[in-house]
Amino acid sequence: NMNEDNAKIAWRYMTLLKASQEENSQTRNLTGTEFQILAYIGWRGDKAYVSEIVEHPMFRYQSLSTIKRGIVNMKALGLIEAKSATKDSRIMYLKLKEET
């Protein structure tokens, strides 16, 4: 359950990403769901992972396959990257890819 502060952080981040959509052709072709996932990953820092995204109320109407497809697409576009958790290698943490 998101508290008001967390909601504000997520909203600010989504607003920033939406503004960057004009200049950044990589985000221009994202679906609405992909864009929400990208904003969520950015908001969570390096701590987002697939099952957490699926369970979040914001994605309650999205299927696991839709979310996974969006993640695969954003990885292919170079927007996000995944790394294994140190304690449990079954968990892949998602994070925004650093600009190079």
Side-chain angles (χ1 to χ4, degrees):
N1 210 2
M2 280 189 6
N3 66 29
E4 194 174 332
D5 289 337
N6 289 346
K8 285 178 185 173
I9 292 166
W11 182 254
R12 283 189 197 127
Y13 201 85
M14 286 171 59
T15 305
L16 286 171
L17 279 173
K18 194 71 176 161
S20 76
Q21 220 175 5
E22 308 305 317
E23 298 126 35
N24 186 348
S25 61
Q26 287 178 307
T27 59
R28 193 173 293 149
N29 296 320
L30 294 181
T31 66
T33 300
E34 289 170 342
F35 201 81
Q36 287 178 328
I37 295 167
L38 186 65
Y40 183 85
I41 291 169
W43 169 66
R44 288 289 288 139
D46 298 349
K47 302 266 190 282
Y49 54 96
V50 175
S51 58
E52 175 193 66
I53 294 169
V54 170
E55 291 166 9
H56 194 278
M58 186 163 78
F59 301 104
R60 69 181 164 270
Y61 300 115
Q62 303 303 328
S63 67
L64 175 62
S65 59
T66 298
I67 290 170
K68 282 187 171 177
R69 208 171 24 252
I71 289 168
V72 167
N73 185 38
M74 288 184 289
K75 275 192 210 168
L77 288 170
L79 294 169
I80 61 172
E81 57 191 353
K83 63 175 183 161
S84 294
T86 20
K87 291 180 180 170
D88 185 348
S89 59
R90 294 171 300 175
I91 297 176
M92 294 296 287
Y93 284 115
L94 303 167
K95 65 179 225 163
L96 298 181
K97 198 162 188 179
E98 299 297 322
E99 295 279 331
T100 52

